[in-house]
Amino acid sequence: MAKRKLTESSGSGIWVPALIFMAVAGLFAVYSVLWLLGRGFLQSEIDKWIDDQRAQGLVVEYSGKELGGYPFRFALTVDDPVYGQPTGPKWQGQQLQFVMQPWDWYHVIIRAPGRNGFSLSNQENEDASLLLGPRSAGSLRWDNTGQIRQLSIALDEAGLAVEGDPVGELDAFEFHIRPAPGVPDMLQLETHWQRIELAETPPDDLALLGRTLGPSILRAELDGGVSAFSETGDLARAIELALSRGGELLVPQLMLDWGPASLGARGDLSRQGGELRGNAGVRIERADELRAALATQGLLTEEARLAIDGLEAASTDGGFFPATLRGDGIYFLGQKQVDLPLEDYF
């Protein structure tokens, strides 16, 4: 009797892992079928998009495209892509890669290995090009209505040329637009770079600053910006729309290093009674270095010295020199000091 019970126990012990294996295999088979169905759907949508773009008169060319990535992603690889207007701006390069996870249909990661770039040609400027580095990437997220919710661009390096002549190059550049965590209609913008190198020294008084900018950073927030950006798809128009609806543009951090000038700023801008109004704060680092550079060029006037002295004093202990923003410029102590037609932009 004991022997019979031992045999039955051994038999059930063998069936348990077998059943687990069969269940896992079944689930994997179901997942594989769903992945293949998803691949077919995406392939159909990609082909429809290409046909639609071509019907609108845009150029969509490639030497090959393949949709794979099984089992944990969908990965579209496009060789020798060309996309854009026949006689205007267009993308052209060696390869583009689009990656999407099967459980997230509203997010795609884009990579551009090899030699890729934008031709910015138009009737006024027929040979402008932006050449991107081999590790350039982007990220795009949208909602179930097709509206863009988040955009990120990361360039390891890039170079701009006009008529074949280099204009400048940059390293470690990033640009991000995204909703603020916990604030659904607050749009955040952040851009920063490690280095921008101009091909030529700036003219006139700016020559003393040199050809290298960076590292620098800009962070901004737009109240009401998520809905405005979803409606317009254009950042400048989104700012204008959000401000017209009573929103506010906030710049909590701006840092710019350009040769001997190292400046910081913050500010806010809104429409009050239909008029653009706001406040700003400016600070300076390495004031001695800027004074010395101006003195070397014979540009350290009494007015410039007093302005730098005032900025330096206000910048003590992390402070800012206050200014007022209006639609026509920047005001210090009630007097317009800088002509800046903000009304033309917002």
Side-chain angles (χ1 to χ4, degrees):
M1 190 70 174
K3 186 175 182 180
R4 184 177 179 182
K5 288 183 178 181
L6 180 61
T7 302
E8 291 176 352
S9 177
S10 300
S12 62
I14 294 173
W15 276 105
V16 170
L19 290 172
I20 293 174
F21 174 79
M22 292 172 63
V24 172
L27 289 173
F28 197 74
V30 171
Y31 173 82
S32 299
V33 171
L34 292 175
W35 186 93
L36 290 171
L37 291 173
R39 178 184 180 277
F41 172 77
L42 285 176
Q43 186 67 68
S44 175
E45 291 298 307
I46 291 167
D47 291 339
K48 288 179 182 178
W49 181 85
I50 293 173
D51 292 340
D52 180 65
Q53 296 297 297
R54 287 173 174 170
Q56 296 180 39
L58 296 174
V59 175
V60 182
E61 298 176 354
Y62 49 88
S63 64
K65 64 181 177 71
E66 180 181 359
L67 183 57
Y70 180 82
F72 298 121
R73 59 181 183 168
F74 295 112
L76 173 66
T77 300
V78 183
D79 296 320
D80 304 313
V82 180
Y83 174 72
Q85 300 177 7
T87 59
K90 70 179 62 170
W91 171 280
Q92 187 168 353
Q94 290 182 317
Q95 190 178 87
L96 278 176
Q97 299 173 351
F98 302 84
V99 178
M100 175 187 290
Q101 295 174 322
W103 49 86
D104 188 355
W105 288 78
Y106 303 114
H107 181 217
V108 64
I109 296 173
I110 308 167
R111 301 189 182 100
R115 188 179 180 88
N116 291 272
F118 287 100
S119 170
L120 306 175
S121 303
N122 52 47
Q123 292 180 352
E124 293 76 25
N125 184 3
E126 294 191 354
D127 189 19
S129 60
L130 180 66
L131 184 64
L132 306 184
R135 291 188 294 277
S136 301
S139 175
L140 184 64
R141 185 177 293 277
W142 59 95
D143 58 25
N144 56 5
T145 68
Q147 300 295 336
I148 296 175
R149 299 283 297 177
Q150 181 176 333
L151 171 66
S152 295
I153 299 172
L155 307 179
D156 58 322
E157 58 188 52
L160 177 65
V162 176
E163 298 294 340
D165 298 324
V167 173
E169 57 186 35
L170 58 82
D171 294 328
F173 171 86
E174 292 190 21
F175 177 83
H176 306 278
I177 298 178
R178 59 204 171 203
V183 188
D185 207 22
M186 179 74 78
L187 186 68
Q188 287 185 331
L189 180 149
E190 178 180 339
T191 182
H192 55 87
W193 63 84
Q194 186 63 30
R195 180 184 70 95
I196 293 179
E197 189 75 21
L198 303 176
E200 297 182 359
T201 302
D204 303 327
D205 293 348
L206 293 178
L208 70 93
L209 298 175
R211 297 189 295 118
T212 304
L213 292 80
S216 300
I217 186 171
L218 167 65
R219 290 192 175 99
E221 296 179 338
L222 180 61
D223 183 25
V226 173
S227 56
F229 185 65
S230 296
E231 290 180 38
T232 63
D234 181 280
L235 184 58
R237 291 176 59 200
I239 296 175
E240 180 183 2
L241 181 59
L243 293 180
S244 70
R245 292 173 171 174
E248 186 176 17
L249 177 63
L250 306 171
V251 180
Q253 183 180 28
L254 170 62
M255 297 175 58
L256 176 65
D257 269 21
W258 189 357
S262 181
L263 302 174
R266 64 186 182 187
D268 60 76
L269 188 66
S270 62
R271 282 201 174 276
Q272 302 175 18
E275 182 182 1
L276 281 175
R277 291 277 184 161
N279 298 290
V282 184
R283 58 176 289 103
I284 189 172
E285 305 286 347
R286 308 199 314 267
D288 288 340
E289 187 176 335
L290 181 57
R291 275 191 288 258
L294 289 169
T296 300
Q297 300 294 321
L299 298 174
L300 188 61
T301 63
E302 182 64 16
E303 184 180 19
R305 185 185 64 79
L306 289 174
I308 295 173
D309 289 348
L311 280 174
E312 185 179 33
S315 302
T316 304
D317 298 327
F320 288 80
F321 188 89
T324 301
L325 301 177
R326 298 182 187 174
D328 60 345
I330 301 177
Y331 288 72
F332 295 140
L333 302 176
Q335 300 294 319
K336 184 166 70 171
Q337 303 295 329
V338 179
D339 283 316
L340 185 62
L342 295 174
E343 287 287 358
D344 293 347
Y345 300 98
F346 309 122

